[in-house]
Structure formats: structure tokens, C-alpha cells
Amino acid sequence: MPSEGQPYADGRQPDQDRLPVADRLDDDHFPAYTMGRAAELVGATPAFLRALGEARLITPTRSEGGHRRYSRHQLRLAARARELVDQGTPVDAACRIISLEDQLEQAERANEELRRRDVGAVRGHR
């Protein structure tokens, strides 16, 4: 996750100054959680979250003071990694599995969109 002022992973720019706080909290990629709270919510240790960062599964935003901040999206990825690690999967392998799951999900969404377009194009030519 990029730091403040940098685009989100999907390329959007954070509009911190223009959005009310409530709207930012609804943003799945808004870095709202401190490391301690994130670890508590995931049921892991701060060291586990740092290991996920080292494996490049998640990259927390840094506050002005240099503290890590996590988004809900990152917490979901961390929770999935914890599930896999709890089942005996090494951290690096768990991160790779999650990355591949994410790529598969994106490909399935793209395929579904193409199917919808094809159906619409066929219906439009009749």
C-alpha cells in the first residue's frame, strides 16, 4: 500500500483533503488501523505483519511519525495468510498462494465482464 499522497494499488489517488472522515473510513484501502490494532484484529503478532510486509504481500502506509497503518483490504489478506500459516504453510508460500488466488479472482471477473459484453453484442445485432 503506498504512503500518503501516493496512489492506491489500483492507481486511484487518495483525496484526503476533500473527503469527510466517514467517507474515508468506508474506503477499503484507507489505512485506518495501527499495527497493534491490526495484529489484534487478525489474531496475529506485529512480527507476523512485518513478515507479510517483507514477503511483499502487504505494504502498510506510514504515518507522518513513521508508524505502520493498515487498511481493511490488507487485514483480509493478513487474515487469509494467518489461516494458511496455521495450517502449516510457510509464510512465503502462503503469500504466493494468496497472490495467485487474487490473480485468479481478477481473471474470473474479467472473463465474466467479457461474457456479459459478448451476450450484449449478440443481442444488439439481432
Side-chain angles (χ1 to χ4, degrees):
M1 179 62 43
S3 64
E4 187 174 319
Q6 294 178 332
Y8 290 127
D10 64 4
R12 293 180 300 119
Q13 292 290 331
D15 293 325
Q16 302 294 332
D17 298 332
R18 290 187 268 170
L19 291 175
V21 173
D23 289 343
R24 286 182 279 168
L25 293 175
D26 287 340
D27 183 348
D28 213 29
H29 296 280
F30 181 72
Y33 301 95
T34 63
M35 177 179 273
R37 182 68 175 137
E40 180 183 321
L41 289 169
V42 171
T45 63
F48 180 76
L49 293 177
R50 285 190 294 274
L52 297 181
E54 290 170 12
R56 296 189 175 151
L57 177 65
I58 56 177
T59 303
T61 301
R62 295 287 182 147
S63 70
E64 289 182 20
H67 299 282
R68 290 174 178 89
R69 300 283 181 186
Y70 296 88
S71 68
R72 286 185 305 199
H73 174 73
Q74 291 172 328
L75 295 184
R76 281 194 299 276
L77 294 175
R80 175 70 177 126
R82 183 175 168 260
E83 288 174 8
L84 292 169
V85 169
D86 286 351
Q87 295 170 4
T89 307
V91 171
D92 287 342
C95 292
R96 182 69 180 139
I97 289 168
I98 293 165
S99 175
L100 291 170
E101 289 173 343
D102 186 52
Q103 289 175 23
L104 177 59
E105 184 180 317
Q106 289 176 16
E108 288 172 340
R109 280 195 309 263
N111 284 339
E112 183 58 33
E113 179 61 29
L114 289 173
R115 282 189 199 103
R116 278 188 285 228
R117 287 183 193 168
D118 287 345
V119 168
V122 169
R123 287 182 183 158
H125 290 327
R126 287 186 182 182

